[in-house]
């Protein structure tokens, strides 16, 4: 992948990481920038899971922020199903729905 640098023991790489808006950006050899998924602590992850569970049980609208490769997306709707074994939930709005992985969520809150 990369060649070893003289004496330092480090490997030369075509990627560079910089902090931006509490997540990281990676620059690859093609000079394109993409975001790295933020790592959530256990407390934040538990808060997100409780919010999704509340939406399912109480039928209240939830807004989720999905961490994407180039920007975050915001979706709002009702959680209609949760699959704990695959860590996915079904978010439904109007006549549309989407399965979303819990690990892709940066934040979730009740509207």
């Amino acid at each position: 992948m990369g060649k070893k640098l003289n004496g330092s023991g480090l490997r030369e790489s075509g990627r560079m990481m910089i902090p931006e808006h509490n997540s990281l950006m990676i620059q690859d050899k093609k000079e394109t920038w993409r975001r790295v998924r933020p790592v959530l602590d256990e407390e934040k992850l538990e808060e997100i899971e409780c919010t999704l569970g509340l939406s399912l049980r109480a039928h209240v609208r939830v807004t989720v922020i999905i961490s994407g490769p180039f920007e975050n997306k915001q979706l709002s709707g009702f959680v209609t199903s949760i699959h704990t074994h695959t860590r996915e939930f079904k978010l439904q709005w109007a006549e549309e729905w989407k399965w979303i992985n819990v690990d892709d969520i940066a934040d979730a809150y009740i509207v």
Side-chain angles (χ1 to χ4, degrees), residues 6-74:
N6 294 336
S8 67
L10 298 175
R11 295 214 176 256
E12 185 179 322
S13 175
R15 294 183 176 193
M16 177 179 68
M17 297 178 76
I18 60 172
E20 182 179 286
H21 303 295
N22 202 13
S23 65
L24 294 176
M25 301 288 284
I26 292 182
Q27 180 182 19
D28 60 20
K29 291 181 180 180
K30 296 176 185 173
E31 298 298 320
T32 58
W33 290 91
R34 61 183 172 87
R35 294 167 49 98
V36 176
R37 182 185 315 168
V39 177
L40 303 176
D41 62 357
E42 289 295 320
E43 186 176 320
K44 184 64 176 175
L45 190 57
E46 185 176 338
E47 178 186 324
I48 290 170
E49 291 169 349
C50 287
T51 302
L52 297 175
L54 178 63
S55 176
L56 177 66
R57 288 188 310 278
H59 306 289
V60 293
R61 181 177 293 275
V62 66
T63 297
V64 294
I65 310 297
I66 302 171
S67 180
F70 299 107
E71 63 183 354
N72 288 344
K73 283 190 349 188
Q74 180 175 327

